[in-house]
Amino acid sequence: MGLDLINGIPAHVLLAHIVVVLVPLTALALVLCAIWPSVMRRFGLALPALALVSLISVPLTTHAGEWLDRHVDSDALVRKHTELGDELIPWAIALFLATAAVWWFYRRATLRTPDAPESTSGTVATPLRITAAALSLVIGVGAGVQVYRIGDSGAKAAWHDGYSATAHPDHGSYAPAAMPPAKDRARSVRHAPSVLLAVRTEQARPVAVERTARACTATSRNRHDSGTAARVGDSGVYAARAAGGVMMASYWTGVNRTRRL
């Protein structure tokens, strides 16, 4: 039983990224090592090791792709992608053999001149170096082009009918998620004076009562007639109470309107 699913996701979708990265990287390293011996000395055994990992990843990815092919709707694009994927294995094998050969030849040249490893390029015959560079270039470019063709066909198979050429109207403009509907905003604005009335009435009521009482008291002091003064004093008290009642009525009216919002 092969590796078909990873964390509930088709393994082919994840393994394809490994192939897309490793195969072109191995091809580039092969070309550089074949042309410049100094680069080969720095890579060493890492070059064929990298090619081996790339070679192993290709059949794992194609096997997972065959499983995925049996679980999706088949069409011409999917079949083309599958066929191109199977054609990558020969290129991966050629990459591994070429990297192993380049490493072996330069390794032998280093063993022949252990005291002067910097002169490796002089110990390898020029025709052999040119041949290795030419073959590496052909294999590297071929593998890279094949990976591109596979990726292009896979993208078309997955997305050719999975998007719209025009933008969706819901995503065309920005709308804040926290903004209430227009009718609720209009309702809040319409009833805002009631809220302000309740607040202002509550703040103004004690001041109005106090001012009314002071005015009535001053008036009573200016009267010489005691009876008139008494009546005016009583009137001032009644007026103060009446003003307070009016303010309270206005206040509760504003509060009740606020509660109905």
Side-chain angles (χ1 to χ4, degrees), residues 84-174:
L84 291 175
D86 294 335
E87 296 175 1
L88 182 60
I89 295 180
W91 289 105
I93 296 175
L95 270 178
F96 174 71
L97 295 178
T99 54
V102 170
W103 172 79
W104 174 252
F105 282 117
Y106 280 99
R107 176 64 177 172
R108 287 184 60 188
T110 303
L111 293 177
R112 289 177 182 176
T113 57
D115 298 333
E118 291 81 3
S119 60
T120 303
S121 59
T123 59
V124 179
T126 301
L128 183 60
R129 289 178 55 195
I130 295 176
T131 303
L135 289 177
S136 299
L137 186 61
V138 172
I139 295 173
V141 172
V145 171
Q146 186 65 18
V147 169
Y148 170 79
R149 294 177 62 199
I150 295 171
D152 180 69
S153 63
K156 290 180 179 179
W159 292 100
H160 72 283
D161 58 352
Y163 72 98
S164 175
T166 58
H168 196 278
D170 294 342
H171 304 285
S173 59
Y174 172 74

Side-chain angles (χ1 to χ4, degrees), residues 22-199:
L22 288 185
V23 173
L25 182 62
T26 304
L28 179 61
L30 172 61
V31 174
L32 295 177
C33 292
I35 296 175
W36 289 286
S38 59
V39 178
M40 182 65 245
R41 287 195 302 269
R42 290 182 174 86
F43 266 90
L45 190 60
L47 179 63
L50 180 63
L52 180 61
V53 175
S54 301
L55 176 60
I56 295 174
S57 66
V58 171
L60 290 177
T61 305
T62 55
H63 176 78
E66 292 174 357
W67 179 89
L68 183 61
D69 186 23
R70 295 190 297 268
H71 291 78
V72 297
D73 296 334
S74 180
D75 56 20
L77 294 175
V78 174
R79 289 191 295 270
K80 180 181 179 181
H81 176 66
T82 303
E83 295 174 357
L84 291 175
D86 294 335
E87 296 175 1
L88 182 60
I89 295 180
W91 289 105
I93 296 175
L95 270 178
F96 174 71
L97 295 178
T99 54
V102 170
W103 172 79
W104 174 252
F105 282 117
Y106 280 99
R107 176 64 177 172
R108 287 184 60 188
T110 303
L111 293 177
R112 289 177 182 176
T113 57
D115 298 333
E118 291 81 3
S119 60
T120 303
S121 59
T123 59
V124 179
T126 301
L128 183 60
R129 289 178 55 195
I130 295 176
T131 303
L135 289 177
S136 299
L137 186 61
V138 172
I139 295 173
V141 172
V145 171
Q146 186 65 18
V147 169
Y148 170 79
R149 294 177 62 199
I150 295 171
D152 180 69
S153 63
K156 290 180 179 179
W159 292 100
H160 72 283
D161 58 352
Y163 72 98
S164 175
T166 58
H168 196 278
D170 294 342
H171 304 285
S173 59
Y174 172 74
M179 183 68 70
K183 61 178 182 180
D184 294 341
R185 295 199 304 270
R187 183 171 180 268
S188 300
V189 173
R190 187 172 62 253
H191 292 284
S194 299
V195 179
L196 296 177
L197 175 63
V199 175

